[in-house]
Amino acid sequence: MSTEILPIRSDSPFYAGALRLRHEVFVVEQAVPADIEVDELDEGAQHYVVLEGDEVVATMRIVPCEDEDALKVGRVAVRKDLRGAGLGRRLLEEAIRIAAAQGARALVLNAQVGAAPFYSKLGFVEEGPIFDEAGIPHTRMVRVMG
């Protein structure tokens, strides 16, 4: 398996694979309602995938933050049998590289509380109260670029 991260858009043939993986991880495993997993930001988002053959085995998306000079990373998903193999870290390292290259002030994400230590190791800091998103406790985390 290659750990090359490919940038794709919503018109890419790999986009359907990214959505299938996200459905498996978020809707099937974590019971996120299917009608909110894909949202209005998906069409214009920059999506990134890791492939095994032609199958998407890891994905994330990056969108501009609404009201700040920052980018927001989200929908980070890794196929269940490959978790712990470093793909999530590789995706986030790529997001950090992209934010720096685009001159973003910060990279923001809403982390599931259980995943906050993972993001902390990559320089993200919790900011604000814990909140509910799709029935799962989350915390906003920010990595200031610099």
Side-chain angles (χ1 to χ4, degrees):
M1 177 185 63
S2 166
T3 58
E4 182 184 1
I5 298 171
L6 302 175
I8 64 166
R9 299 204 70 85
S10 59
D11 59 356
S12 163
F14 293 121
Y15 181 62
L19 290 181
R20 271 193 301 277
L21 177 60
R22 285 170 38 182
H23 181 87
E24 182 64 33
V25 171
F26 299 119
V27 178
V28 176
E29 288 181 35
Q30 299 179 357
V32 170
D35 62 340
I36 66 168
E37 199 290 305
V38 176
D39 63 19
E40 69 282 353
L41 299 176
D42 267 313
E43 188 175 332
Q46 182 66 62
H47 299 270
Y48 297 85
V49 296
V50 176
L51 302 176
E52 183 175 73
D54 286 336
E55 183 188 355
V56 174
V57 297
T59 188
M60 71 174 174
R61 74 175 189 190
I62 297 177
V63 297
C65 280
E66 306 83 42
D67 60 337
E68 45 193 304
D69 183 22
L71 294 175
K72 183 174 185 180
V73 64
R75 304 306 199 269
V76 179
V78 176
R79 197 174 73 191
K80 192 172 190 173
D81 65 319
L82 294 174
R83 290 180 201 150
L87 294 178
R89 170 177 283 279
R90 284 272 300 115
L91 285 171
L92 268 293
E93 287 169 347
E94 182 69 2
I96 292 164
R97 188 196 64 73
I98 290 162
Q102 293 184 12
R105 177 191 63 76
L107 188 59
V108 178
L109 56 84
N110 292 342
Q112 293 182 13
V113 170
F118 165 77
Y119 294 110
S120 292
K121 290 178 191 165
L122 293 164
F124 288 85
V125 177
E126 292 184 54
E127 184 178 275
I130 292 174
F131 60 93
D132 180 272
E133 191 170 83
I136 301 167
H138 280 72
T139 183
R140 175 183 162 93
M141 298 188 78
V142 178
R143 185 186 197 278
V144 175
M145 306 305 295

